[in-house]
């Protein structure tokens, strides 16, 4: 199967540049796999498609202000350090710019001369990423919150005025370079309604990496290597999901990241195993889901691994026909755009 099999035409004006004021007022396309049909709703109508006994699985990661702009201490030249993954207390794997100028031993200062934060490049990794060791005054997370910028996807050109609009209302654990954006449509009030109708809500954690924005360059999708991301599933959350599955309820993932998490941690019998680790699972058509039954998702980029994952659940032709319908109906696409429920 070729990467080009997942291409579709998208007018640039349909790429959402700003979040709408009311999270749950976005549009929602229902994809009914049994009847191969589309229905147009608003996101708050999702309660009408959930059933008592279902389990919603959501990713409670929190986006950190991972983009740091500074200057090289020796020359004063501008430098950018993008946090990818914490390796030790003050050691991070990072993406740096300009790469050729930031060699081992280079020190970058942030927040001006004698500022509260600096880092030294300690190692160049095989893929070109850098390990850096930070030095700072005070608490690292507080310094980062002051100096760092929210790393919005490259297709969003507008400045984000409220940083919390790129967080889900249930974001809890710091560590992501990007938001699990399917969850941006939920409000606390909507979750109250969902729980009141007898739906269980289970949380997992997967820290979304920068690789989520990287295009698939391989002609054949099987030649693409997925990026690795850290996940954790607590025993009590795994038990919620396993109990729902055993009782005949549907496991409904909110977004690709919660799906990749539980599918990575499932054993051969389809039982979710609590624990933590790294996953580079790549889900594309032909994959047999062990746990997930349905999914709430966004409209994804052409030729992306996210679109391939959606197609693994609903079928490539059906998904692409839904995307054509969304373009005709002027849906808003990508991170701040509208949603889809595949049932």
């Amino acid at each position: 199967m070729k990467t080009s099999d997942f291409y579709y035409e998208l007018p640039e004006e349909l790429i959402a540049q700003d979040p709408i004021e009311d999270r749950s007022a976005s549009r929602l396309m229902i994809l009914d796999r049994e009847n191969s049909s589309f229905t147009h709703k608003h996101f708050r109508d999702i309660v009408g498609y959930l059933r008592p006994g279902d389990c919603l699985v959501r990713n409670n990661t929190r986006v950190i202000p991972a983009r740091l702009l500074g200057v090289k201490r020796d020359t004063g030249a501008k430098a950018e350090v993008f946090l990818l993954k914490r390796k030790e207390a003050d050691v991070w794997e990072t993406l740096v710019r300009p790469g050729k100028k930031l060699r081992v031993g280079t020190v970058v200062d942030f927040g001006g001369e004698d500022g509260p934060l600096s880092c030294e490049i300690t190692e160049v990794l095989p893929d070109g990423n850098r390990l850096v060791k930070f030095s700072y005054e005070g608490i690292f997370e507080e310094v980062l919150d002051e100096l760092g910028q929210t790393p919005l996807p490259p297709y969003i050109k507008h400045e984000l005025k409220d940083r919390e609009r790129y967080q889900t209302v249930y974001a809890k654990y710091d560590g992501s370079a990007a938001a699990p954006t399917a969850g941006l449509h939920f409000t606390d009030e909507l979750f109250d309604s969902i729980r009141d109708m007898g739906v269980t809500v289970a949380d997992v954690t997967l820290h979304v990496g920068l690789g989520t924005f990287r295009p698939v360059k391989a002609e054949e999708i099987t030649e693409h290597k997925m990026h690795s991301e850290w996940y954790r599933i607590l025993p009590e959350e795994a038990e919620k999901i396993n109990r729902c599955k055993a009782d005949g309820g549907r496991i409904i993932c909110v977004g690709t990241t919660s799906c990749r998490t539980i599918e990575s941690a499932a054993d051969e019998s389809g039982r979710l195993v609590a624990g933590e680790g790294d996953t580079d699972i790549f889900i594309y058509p032909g994959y047999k889901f062990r746990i997930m039954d349905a999914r709430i998702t966004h409209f994804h980029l052409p030729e992306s691994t996210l679109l391939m994952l959606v197609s693994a659940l609903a079928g490539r032709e059906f998904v692409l026909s839904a995307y054509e319908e969304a373009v005709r109906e002027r849906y808003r696409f990508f991170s701040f755009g509208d949603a889809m429920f595949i049932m």
Side-chain angles (χ1 to χ4, degrees), residues 56-64 85 167-168 170-180 201-209 228-238 241 253-265 272-279 281:
L56 273 185
V57 183
R58 59 189 193 180
N59 180 9
N60 62 6
T61 188
R62 186 172 178 83
V63 181
I64 60 174
K85 184 184 296 186
Q167 305 279 12
T168 62
Y170 49 86
K172 186 174 183 181
Y173 297 110
D174 286 343
S176 273
V201 178
D203 286 334
V204 298
T205 305
L206 181 139
H207 291 329
V208 188
S228 177
E229 296 168 318
W230 179 88
Y231 75 87
R232 179 178 63 205
I233 303 171
L234 298 176
E236 57 268 30
E237 303 302 317
I241 296 168
C253 287
V254 179
T256 57
T257 58
S258 59
C259 167
R260 293 181 69 240
T261 301
I262 66 172
E263 290 295 319
S264 297
L272 187 61
V273 179
E276 62 180 73
D278 294 305
T279 178
I281 189 172

Side-chain angles (χ1 to χ4, degrees), residues 13-130:
E13 66 269 19
L14 295 186
I15 300 175
Q17 294 296 318
D18 303 286
I20 62 175
E21 184 174 349
D22 179 355
R23 290 174 182 258
S24 64
S26 61
R27 298 174 72 186
L28 175 68
M29 181 186 286
I30 307 295
L31 272 65
D32 186 330
R33 288 180 288 163
E34 184 176 349
N35 299 316
S36 298
S37 63
F38 314 132
T39 305
H40 303 290
K41 296 288 184 177
H42 287 92
F43 193 80
R44 63 174 67 93
D45 299 323
I46 191 73
V47 295
Y49 294 88
L50 302 178
R51 308 168 191 157
D54 285 343
C55 179
L56 273 185
V57 183
R58 59 189 193 180
N59 180 9
N60 62 6
T61 188
R62 186 172 178 83
V63 181
I64 60 174
R67 186 170 180 244
L68 288 163
L69 303 179
V71 296
K72 293 174 60 180
R73 182 174 292 177
D74 56 351
T75 66
K78 292 181 180 179
E80 179 178 335
V81 175
F82 193 109
L83 307 184
L84 296 178
K85 184 184 296 186
R86 192 173 218 152
K87 309 297 282 189
E88 300 174 25
D90 296 322
V91 177
W92 286 74
E93 181 179 345
T94 66
L95 180 70
V96 301
R97 294 175 183 164
K100 293 182 179 179
K101 301 290 185 180
L102 297 175
R103 304 181 180 90
V104 171
T106 301
V107 176
V108 181
D109 293 316
F110 308 98
E113 188 175 354
D114 299 323
L117 181 67
S118 65
C119 74
E120 179 179 353
I121 296 172
T122 60
E123 184 179 345
V124 179
L125 301 177
D127 59 3
N129 292 346
R130 292 345 188 231

Side-chain angles (χ1 to χ4, degrees), residues 132-180:
V132 307
K133 182 175 178 61
F134 282 100
S135 299
Y136 50 91
E137 300 173 2
I139 300 172
F140 179 77
E141 287 75 13
E142 293 180 357
V143 176
L144 183 64
D145 193 57
E146 177 186 350
L147 298 177
Q149 297 181 7
T150 299
L152 292 177
Y155 47 77
I156 293 179
K157 310 301 182 184
H158 292 185
E159 180 182 354
L160 183 62
K161 296 179 181 179
D162 180 2
R163 187 184 292 179
E164 286 301 305
R165 290 310 308 272
Y166 195 56
Q167 305 279 12
T168 62
V169 296
Y170 49 86
K172 186 174 183 181
Y173 297 110
D174 286 343
S176 273

Side-chain angles (χ1 to χ4, degrees), residues 1-9 221 284-285 300-312 315-317 319-320 323:
M1 189 170 287
K2 298 186 181 296
T3 300
S4 57
D5 291 334
F6 297 88
Y7 179 78
Y8 67 91
E9 293 283 351
I221 65 173
Y284 52 86
H300 301 294
L301 275 72
E303 300 183 333
S304 64
T305 60
L306 308 179
L307 181 54
M308 294 171 192
L309 192 158
V310 173
S311 299
R316 183 185 69 88
E317 293 184 0
V319 168
L320 289 179
Y323 273 56

